[in-house]
Amino acid sequence: MANPGSHRKFATIKDFILAQVESAAWPEHSRIPSENELASQFAVSRMTARRALQELTEQGVLYRTQGVGSFVASPKSQSSLLEIRNIADDISRRGHFHSAELVQLTSLPCPAVVASALGMLRNQPVFFSLIVHYDNQTPLQLEARYVNPAMIPEYLAQDFRYQTPHEYLSAVSPLTDAEHLIEAVLPDELCQKHLKIPPSEPCLRLTRRTFSRGGAVSFAYLTSAGSRYRLGGQLNVTPKKTD
């Protein structure tokens, strides 16, 4: 089990680096202190300092050059390949009506996979919401979302029947980056029950981890019946100039 003290020190290093970047004390492409320098400054192990730099690099706040060091990234490097869209807006664009059924909104012990994704400790309290999104009156998507309480302390006080978690999180902690995994799956019993589909119905599952400047905010499983949902997007490419 991780040491809570080292976790706090790790978070302190991240907060320090983010404060320097956001205040422009460390401008774009400036070199930041090394792992050894941070370890000495905060009286932690080199491994703890390395973890802070690694997570900030994964979030797009920093970039690393082998054998040289870590540098402040340009904001444009923090954009996601896949646009993060609000499901209520997607449904409205089709001229349909979005509604939501709040199945569960609670605090529970953080599972190991979620703890790793959110930089938390296993079994530490994590916020959890389970929501069914409807297109007109047809269940379209089951959203199972874990939220870091340290980042979003008022999450459990919201009424997600009238505002989606995406809308709320975007308002209180603007997203800077996201990671996506898209896969085809067969529905488990929970999805069968809430999406009202048979066990043989193929589903599209989007696993998403979102970040703000402060770190990882949420980790979500978004599962949709394959016959009712399509995932698309547009990629604009600027042609290269030729002589």
Side-chain angles (χ1 to χ4, degrees), residues 19-38:
Q20 302 305 307
V21 172
E22 292 176 350
S23 68
W26 294 349
E28 290 178 27
H29 308 302
S30 61
R31 184 180 181 278
I32 72 166
S34 66
E35 292 175 3
N36 286 337
E37 290 169 330
L38 289 170

Side-chain angles (χ1 to χ4, degrees), residues 135-176:
D135 183 335
N136 288 340
Q137 295 184 2
T138 302
L140 180 64
Q141 183 181 89
L142 181 64
E143 173 185 334
R145 185 182 296 270
Y146 299 87
V147 173
N148 189 339
M151 299 289 295
I152 314 293
E154 301 299 322
Y155 189 77
L156 297 186
Q158 309 311 308
D159 189 342
F160 292 120
R161 294 174 299 172
Y162 305 105
Q163 180 184 36
T164 66
H166 172 84
E167 289 174 308
Y168 174 68
L169 294 175
S170 296
V172 300
S173 186
L175 305 181
T176 60

Side-chain angles (χ1 to χ4, degrees), residues 72-134:
V72 177
S74 168
K76 67 181 179 182
S77 68
Q78 298 171 30
S79 62
S80 300
L81 176 63
L82 184 64
E83 179 187 3
I84 302 177
R85 299 185 301 191
N86 181 28
I87 189 170
D89 294 337
D90 278 350
I91 292 172
S92 296
R93 288 191 194 101
R94 296 195 292 271
H96 294 184
F97 175 72
H98 169 266
S99 61
E101 176 191 355
L102 181 60
V103 179
Q104 191 174 5
L105 183 61
T106 188
S107 175
L108 47 76
C110 192
V113 172
V114 178
S116 176
L118 296 181
M120 298 175 60
L121 300 176
R122 184 176 181 181
N123 292 326
Q124 179 181 357
V126 66
F127 294 156
F128 175 75
S129 58
L130 185 66
I131 299 169
V132 185
H133 295 282
Y134 288 82

Side-chain angles (χ1 to χ4, degrees), residues 168-203:
Y168 174 68
L169 294 175
S170 296
V172 300
S173 186
L175 305 181
T176 60
D177 200 5
E179 295 174 354
H180 308 271
L181 174 65
I182 304 169
E183 56 188 338
V185 299
L186 289 175
D188 56 22
E189 291 184 2
L190 198 65
C191 290
Q192 293 172 43
K193 174 184 177 181
H194 293 292
L195 294 179
K196 296 179 174 59
I197 55 177
S200 59
E201 170 82 28
C203 291

Side-chain angles (χ1 to χ4, degrees), residues 5 20 24-25 54 69 71 80 102 109 115 136 182 213-214 217 234 240:
Q20 302 305 307
Q54 181 178 343
F71 300 82
S80 300
L102 181 60
N136 288 340
I182 304 169
R213 278 292 191 180
V217 173
Q234 180 176 334
K240 293 183 179 180

